[in-house]
Amino acid sequence: MKNYSRTIIVLFILLNFTGIAQTDKNFQSTTAPDIGGLHFLKESDHKLDDSTYTDIIQLTKLTGKVQALQFRILFNKSDDDTAILTFKDVQKGSDLKDPSWLLDYNVIKGSNTADDEIYVVLYNSNLQGGLPPGDHNDLVRVVYEIIDVVASAKEIKSSIKISHAQASTFNGFPINIEPTLDEFKVYVKSK
């Protein structure tokens, strides 16, 4: 019975995941005074080129117990981005230290070598598990590299976005985790 339920949850996620892959969504960043849903710890940061960084995705103001969630991480996708960020890894944060939380992701390469979309799926294989309502400040960690930037007098901007965020309860009922702030802006100036 346990394996049957786990299979149903995984199939629900995968079937739902392929359905959103066809969706065309406007990725406008919104700034809300009350940040909730899936979002980065910071709205923006200044970094050095030719280095590797890890930034945190949080899930705040969660209203129900989540058994599974999925979202995309988009690199260098804003109109004013320069393709300086390169995806390296996605890791579970300390809020998902329970081994029954499973993380899987798939990297879809864009036409530009750094124009990546990462499809992320997280689910709890324990039927009594799940993420309780509230704030989860270290849900997922995104590891990326900033390429060596050609000397420039001005800062260069790129971004990492969260899109297509969805979650469900054990029974398959949706829980809103859409980000109120979907873009993390990275500003780089050459050393």
Side-chain angles (χ1 to χ4, degrees):
M1 181 68 175
K2 188 175 183 180
N3 285 338
Y4 175 75
S5 296
R6 186 179 310 150
T7 303
I8 295 297
I9 291 169
V10 171
L11 286 174
F12 171 77
I13 291 170
L14 293 176
L15 289 174
N16 207 9
F17 207 1
T18 57
I20 66 168
Q22 307 301 319
T23 305
D24 183 17
K25 185 174 179 183
N26 185 358
F27 296 119
Q28 293 293 342
S29 176
T30 58
T31 308
D34 190 23
I35 296 175
L38 206 59
H39 59 87
F40 279 92
L41 174 64
K42 300 177 185 175
E43 183 176 351
S44 65
D45 204 355
H46 291 77
K47 309 272 188 185
L48 296 175
D49 65 342
D50 201 19
S51 299
T52 301
Y53 295 96
T54 301
D55 281 298
I56 296 172
I57 294 179
Q58 301 179 321
L59 178 56
T60 56
K61 302 192 184 333
L62 183 60
T63 59
K65 188 174 182 182
V66 168
Q67 189 75 21
L69 58 115
Q70 63 188 18
F71 57 95
R72 296 183 197 178
I73 303 171
L74 311 176
F75 279 79
N76 308 302
K77 292 281 192 174
S78 288
D79 292 337
D80 60 344
D81 281 352
T82 302
I84 56 172
L85 307 177
T86 304
F87 170 74
K88 292 294 181 190
D89 195 15
V90 175
Q91 305 163 348
K92 295 190 306 181
S94 63
D95 289 324
L96 300 177
K97 62 185 171 199
D98 180 347
S100 63
W101 274 104
L102 304 173
L103 180 143
D104 194 14
Y105 68 89
N106 190 17
V107 179
I108 308 298
K109 292 289 188 185
S111 56
N112 182 339
T113 55
D115 192 19
D116 297 336
E117 288 190 29
I118 296 79
Y119 290 60
V120 180
V121 176
L122 284 160
Y123 61 95
N124 195 300
S125 60
N126 179 355
L127 301 182
Q128 304 303 317
L131 207 55
D135 293 343
H136 303 281
N137 296 318
D138 188 10
L139 189 72
V140 175
R141 296 175 185 185
V142 179
V143 182
Y144 60 96
E145 182 178 20
I146 299 176
I147 64 171
D148 191 11
V149 175
V150 177
S152 172
K154 64 177 188 167
E155 287 185 323
I156 298 170
K157 181 246 176 206
S158 195
S159 66
I160 306 172
K161 291 184 173 186
I162 299 170
S163 74
H164 297 87
Q166 295 183 336
S168 67
T169 65
F170 169 74
N171 295 324
F173 297 112
I175 297 175
N176 184 9
I177 62 166
E178 280 291 320
T180 53
L181 185 63
D182 65 354
E183 184 177 19
F184 172 61
K185 298 173 188 148
V186 178
Y187 297 95
V188 177
K189 193 170 188 178
S190 59
K191 297 175 192 168

